[in-house]
Amino acid sequence: MDTDLAILLAIATVWLVAGLVVEGMPRLTAARALRRRTGLLLALVGAGLAGLAGVLLVGLVATEPTLADRTATGLALPAVPAVVVAALTVRRLWWLRVGAGAFSAAPETPAPPALRAGAAHPMIALPVQVTGLVMLPALVTATGLVPLTSPGMIGVVLTAAVLAVGMIGVRHALRHSRLVERAVTVRSRSSRTAGVLHV
């Protein structure tokens, strides 16, 4: 296997694994587990961003044709959600890890509903998973099996990407909304209980 293709395959694998990790975060009930998972996701996202930026940078400065040159169109697609990850998702993950750390002194301390709702925020999961999915056309282009750089194929790929983003975004928005409602319900119950005890 071509070394450049192996590197791109490794980057795509990192993003796909990050997508699987972020999918399970809102289901974690212990604060310590949520903190660990957030740290793992930060490491994966950092490696994915560094790898993608490295391939694009090599393609810009190299004099000989490289994988980034051959798949410039394919790599431009994952670069868009990757920028969103770098600008928004990393910051949210960092604050989520700090918040989970405040409750993780004991191994079985439950994660507050607000933290689980934060872990389900669409701007955490959506950009990570979309970046992993749109790395796949870049891999197909790099192998040369299907020419995705033709105008007709670019339209098909972009249409499929828009549909995938819409479906993933709606699913994450619904899950986030459900967890936010649960957090608000728990908070209102706690307030009522505190008021009764105060009286």
Side-chain angles (χ1 to χ4, degrees):
M1 181 185 289
D2 190 350
T3 304
D4 290 339
L5 182 58
I7 292 172
L8 187 58
L9 180 61
I11 296 170
T13 302
V14 167
W15 280 110
L16 291 172
V17 170
L20 293 174
V21 170
V22 76
E23 179 66 28
M25 279 176 45
R27 291 194 291 267
L28 297 174
T29 56
R32 181 172 288 187
L34 182 59
R35 184 175 186 273
R36 281 198 200 117
R37 189 72 61 90
T38 307
L40 173 61
L41 185 59
L42 277 168
L44 288 169
V45 164
L49 288 171
L52 191 57
V55 169
L56 290 171
L57 185 61
V58 168
L60 290 174
V61 300
T63 55
E64 298 180 1
T66 64
L67 179 64
D69 294 322
R70 296 194 302 268
T71 61
T73 304
L75 287 174
L77 197 57
V80 175
V83 168
V84 177
V85 170
L88 301 175
T89 305
V90 170
R91 183 179 61 182
R92 286 184 177 275
L93 284 173
W94 177 257
W95 285 113
L96 184 63
R97 189 169 193 269
V98 170
F103 294 93
S104 63
E108 299 302 322
T109 302
L115 273 181
R116 294 182 63 198
H121 196 283
M123 290 314 297
I124 290 180
L126 179 63
V128 173
Q129 292 181 337
V130 169
T131 304
L133 286 178
V134 297
M135 282 296 295
L136 299 178
L139 283 174
V140 173
T141 303
T143 58
L145 297 176
V146 181
L148 298 181
T149 55
S150 64
M153 289 304 297
I154 290 175
V156 172
V157 170
L158 288 176
T159 302
V162 169
L163 290 174
V165 168
M167 291 171 57
I168 295 171
V170 167
R171 189 171 66 84
H172 286 305
L174 290 174
R175 182 168 68 170
H176 175 64
S177 177
R178 187 175 67 250
L179 289 172
V180 167
E181 288 178 6
R182 189 177 301 172
V184 170
T185 302
V186 170
R187 188 179 304 162
S188 63
R189 286 177 183 170
S190 299
S191 299
R192 285 197 299 267
T193 304
V196 170
L197 291 176
H198 179 71
V199 172

